[in-house]
Amino acid sequence: AGNRERYLAHRLKTLDIFERIRSATTEWPKLDALLRENGLKTKTSSGAEAVRMWERGERDALCEYCMADVVLTTQLALLPALTLNGVPIPPALYSLKAALAAAAGA
C-alpha cells in the first residue's frame, strides 16, 4: 500500500480525544482543564516545562511526564461521562469503550 493508504489505515486505528472534541465544538480543551472539571488528578507538569526538560537533556524526566499525560488521557477516555465547560460530551467523541465498539462493528 502507498504512504497515504498506510497513513489512513493508521489514523483509523487511533482515538484522539482532543481532535474529536475540537471537531465537534471548535474548541481545543487543555488536558488539565478537562481533568479538573471531571474530577480527576491533574497533570504533573506543563508543556512548557517539557520543552525545558528536552533542552536540558532530561530525557527520563520527559518520558515520565509524557507517560503521565498518556495515563491521564486514558483515564478521561474511560470515564462513563465527560463534560467540557459544564456541557456533556457524547461518549462517541471521547470514550475508549465507544471507539472499541465501533471498531468491532467495522
Side-chain angles (χ1 to χ4, degrees):
N3 287 339
R4 180 163 172 70
E5 290 83 12
R6 281 195 355 238
Y7 172 77
L8 289 174
H10 169 72
R11 288 292 294 157
L12 289 171
K13 295 185 289 186
T14 64
L15 173 63
D16 185 334
I17 294 171
F18 299 94
E19 174 62 32
R20 294 177 61 97
I21 290 173
R22 185 185 68 173
S23 293
T25 66
T26 69
E27 184 175 343
W28 189 283
K30 296 280 191 180
L31 175 56
D32 233 18
L34 273 177
L35 293 166
R36 192 174 302 106
E37 181 172 343
N38 290 281
L40 295 174
K41 184 178 108 180
T42 56
K43 294 174 49 129
T44 58
S45 193
S46 70
E49 180 57 26
V51 171
R52 289 189 287 275
M53 287 180 213
W54 177 265
E55 290 169 346
R56 293 188 301 255
E58 298 171 355
R59 302 303 193 265
D60 289 342
L62 180 59
C63 185
E64 288 176 25
Y65 164 77
C66 291
M67 287 303 297
D69 273 13
V70 170
V71 168
L72 294 170
T73 302
T74 302
Q75 289 173 350
L76 282 173
L78 292 173
L79 288 176
L82 182 69
T83 61
L84 172 64
N85 300 323
V87 177
I89 300 295
L93 288 180
Y94 76 89
S95 170
L96 186 55
K97 183 177 178 181
L100 290 171

